[in-house]
Structure formats: C-alpha cells, structure tokens
Amino acid sequence: MAVRTSIVSYGGGVNSVAVLVWLANHGVVPTAIVMADPGSERRHTVYFRDVVLPPWLAARGFPPVTVVNRIDEGQHVKRAWRLETLRDECLRLKALPSVAYGWKKCSAKYKGDTQRWWVARQPWAQAEWSAGFKIAKVIGYDGGEERRALKAFQNAWENARFEPWYPLYDERIDREGCEALILAAGLPLPGKSACTFCPNNKLEEWEQLRREEPDRFEEAVAMSRNAEVDSPDVVGFMRCNPHGKRQLHVWAEGGYEGGLGGRDDEEEMPCECVL
C-alpha cells in the first residue's frame, strides 16, 4: 500500500506492538499512534505504554502514543454524551459492560468513537481530507483473524475518511510470528490488553487479577454486586463459566464449587481491546 499519512490504532497488546515493529522494519513512520483508554487498563499495559515503549519509539523517529478518553473530550462532545469512564457508567446504570450481554458496544463507544473524535480535530487530518486524500488506519489484526480484517469500516464517517491497513494480516503473520517480531526488536512481550473487569476474562485471568491487582479485583466484585441483571444465571462477568455460575461476586466469596472454566454456549467474542 502506498501510504501518504497513517495512524496506528494502538490497543496495548501483542498485535499492536508487533505492527509498530513491522512499520519500523519497513521504514514507515506513522503520523500518529492513538490509544483510547476506557479507564481501567491493566497496570502492565500502562507500564509498557508509558515506560517501556517511549524510548523505543523515539529512537525510530516515531511519535509517542497519544492517549485519549471520554473524560478529556470536554465541551466538544454533545451533551448527550456523559464524560465518564466505562466503570463509572456501569456503576451508574447498575449494569455490566456490554460484552456480558453478548454485545460489543463498550469497545465501539469507549475506543472507536473516542479515537474518531480525536483524529477529526487534528489539523493534519483535516488538511488531508480537504485535499481529497484518505488516511491509512493501521490495525494489528494478525494472519489468523480473517473474520475481523474487513475491507471497509462499518462506520460510514470513518469509511469516507480512512483506508484500513492490516500489515500483519496481509503478510499472514500469526500470533507466534507477532511475538517473534517483538522479541527480535529488543522489546519484551506486553501482555494482554483489556479492561480489568472485562467479561471475556478467562478463569485464570480472574485469578491472576485477584492475585496481582487485588484493588482492581475488588472494584470488579463491587460492580458485579451492584449490577441488576434480568437473567443472573446467564449474564455475568464470568462468561468463561457455564450458565448459573457467572456472577463474579458469588465466585469471589466461594459460592461456586466445581464445574468451572468451561464456557458452554457462546464463542469467545474478541474485541478491539485485546490487540
């Protein structure tokens, strides 16, 4: 792809870092690297983004990662938009993130919409569009994500202004290949990126959160206890568990015994957060 201006959609995980390495290896310097933060990223993700990655980016002439969120959107946002984190919204509505109900609206609202809001206000982006050019939006889908690597965006505004570019997918670089790229570049692996209270967490990830970030785990337990769900046997933070055993606060208090760790109905629903 001939690139005039590009922006990297940075999620904070292995694929996002791998695509940055790929760009550096091919002499492509993006105009911007943007991460939309819903407000509850794992601490290892924030550490990698703010401490490990900056010197590597600077040494290659790359821009730093720009972190955007709904709290920073200020007066430019329609009044119908509340300036709050995903956690704040869930507590206010006495609800869980939308993935718990089988939707993926949280990543669209707190990541996609927020990134688009930021880019739309950049003079360099406005100049490109005024000149009749699209901006290449680089996303780190890997070689095994054919279902996600769509030829066009589903958002009409975005589709008119951006061209999707999936370098890792185009070269069929799989997950192991992504990890190899990162390690060969002298970087450690960044770990999984996702909200601490993501309903797609596996059982071992909930256990890890309780062990490594007990304060964040207790926040998730409080959200689970606060939520009012119509079908508690089906809807809950622990989509990794069978029906009837998905309430995080019940599990945390030792209320479930045996039969855990095996989702019995839905397929895993990856979203942009894990890139």
Side-chain angles (χ1 to χ4, degrees), residues 53-235:
L53 195 56
W56 186 91
L57 293 173
R60 286 149 185 83
F62 277 34
V65 176
T66 296
V67 181
V68 296
N69 55 62
R70 289 171 67 87
I71 299 300
D72 293 337
E73 293 176 351
Q75 61 184 355
H76 299 291
V77 180
K78 297 176 183 178
R79 291 190 177 185
W81 285 35
R82 290 177 181 263
L83 304 182
E84 59 188 357
T85 66
L86 176 56
R87 175 175 174 269
D88 292 339
E89 179 185 57
C90 289
L91 290 174
R92 174 175 58 82
L93 297 176
K94 296 185 180 297
L96 300 175
S98 63
V99 179
Y101 306 90
W103 314 322
K104 290 189 286 185
K105 293 183 179 180
C106 45
S107 62
K109 181 176 181 178
Y110 282 87
K111 286 185 172 284
D113 288 350
T114 306
Q115 278 193 2
R116 285 188 287 270
W117 177 91
W118 181 84
V119 179
R121 284 158 180 78
Q122 303 312 302
W124 54 267
Q126 295 170 1
E128 285 294 282
W129 297 328
S130 295
F133 295 103
K134 284 189 176 184
I135 295 172
K137 187 171 185 180
V138 183
I139 302 175
Y141 296 143
D142 64 43
E145 298 185 279
E146 183 173 2
R147 186 174 59 172
R148 303 176 75 190
L150 303 177
K151 294 182 179 179
F153 297 106
Q154 295 178 317
N155 179 281
W157 181 91
E158 187 173 26
N159 209 41
R161 293 165 176 81
F162 296 88
E163 188 76 25
W165 186 19
Y166 316 120
L168 303 176
Y169 174 77
D170 292 342
E171 295 203 357
R172 298 300 187 267
I173 300 173
D174 60 13
R175 184 75 170 189
E176 289 184 1
C178 289
E179 294 178 349
L181 273 176
I182 294 170
L183 296 174
L187 289 167
L189 297 178
K192 180 182 177 180
S193 170
C195 286
T196 53
F197 47 76
C198 180
N200 273 336
N201 280 345
K202 297 176 183 177
L203 184 60
E204 56 266 28
E205 290 170 334
W206 285 118
E207 292 171 339
Q208 180 189 38
L209 183 66
R210 176 160 59 178
R211 190 171 58 249
E212 297 179 358
E213 300 184 45
D215 56 332
R216 300 291 186 87
F217 180 77
E218 288 304 320
E219 286 181 353
V221 170
M223 287 175 63
S224 176
R225 193 178 290 113
N226 178 69
E228 298 176 351
V229 295
D230 294 332
S231 305
D233 289 343
V234 178
V235 176

